[in-house]
Amino acid sequence: GHINLSILGAMQVAENGDLANWMIPGKMVKGMGGAMDLVAGVKKVVVVMEHTAKGKDGSESPKLLAACDLPLTGTHVVDMVITDLGVFTIDKKGEGGMTLVELADGVTEDEVRRKTTARFTTKLA
């Protein structure tokens, strides 16, 4: 309860605010690190990340998902996601869901929808 804002990266974010950022199964890891502490009890969590994960073969896979399939760092903790394509807010306490509130220069809403499996509404200024 002493931290007002935590800004961190993520491997995946779910539409309900779940966060996965510490482990990819099958990869060597030393431990969870301090990310769980950074999202527990903080007033606002902002995730900054690339919108998609790049595969070795050049393919892209969404990182904004309906539900995370990697081990969770925290449940219902993310308030905002900033990616290279746009900015999303997450209503993790009310009716839930993501809202696209800003697009990066040169990016269309259609491109964001193609690269996102999480459901979201749009409220662009």
Side-chain angles (χ1 to χ4, degrees):
H2 297 289
I3 300 174
N4 290 325
L5 173 67
S6 183
I7 301 172
L8 64 163
M11 294 174 195
Q12 296 178 338
V13 175
E15 61 191 42
N16 67 353
D18 289 353
L19 169 67
N21 82 336
W22 71 276
M23 177 186 173
I24 298 175
K27 299 280 185 172
M28 182 84 162
V29 293
K30 294 182 180 182
M32 295 176 213
M36 288 183 177
D37 293 332
L38 292 174
V39 300
V42 66
K43 292 180 182 173
K44 186 171 185 175
V45 174
V46 176
V47 170
V48 179
M49 66 181 190
E50 290 184 342
H51 201 89
T52 58
K54 312 285 190 282
K56 290 181 182 179
D57 61 357
S59 64
E60 293 183 332
S61 59
K63 293 173 70 170
L64 295 177
L65 309 167
C68 295
D69 55 22
L70 295 175
L72 295 180
T73 303
T75 58
H76 304 285
V77 295
V78 179
D79 295 283
M80 178 179 281
V81 180
I82 302 170
T83 77
D84 52 323
L85 300 183
V87 178
F88 295 82
T89 58
I90 299 177
D91 180 10
K92 62 185 185 188
K93 295 179 182 168
E95 295 180 27
M98 300 178 80
T99 303
L100 175 64
V101 295
E102 187 174 339
L103 290 169
D105 289 342
V107 175
T108 65
E109 184 180 340
D110 286 340
E111 179 182 0
V112 173
R113 289 202 181 275
R114 282 193 314 273
K115 295 180 178 183
T116 308
T117 57
R119 294 171 298 187
F120 65 88
T121 58
T122 302
K123 194 175 190 180
L124 299 170

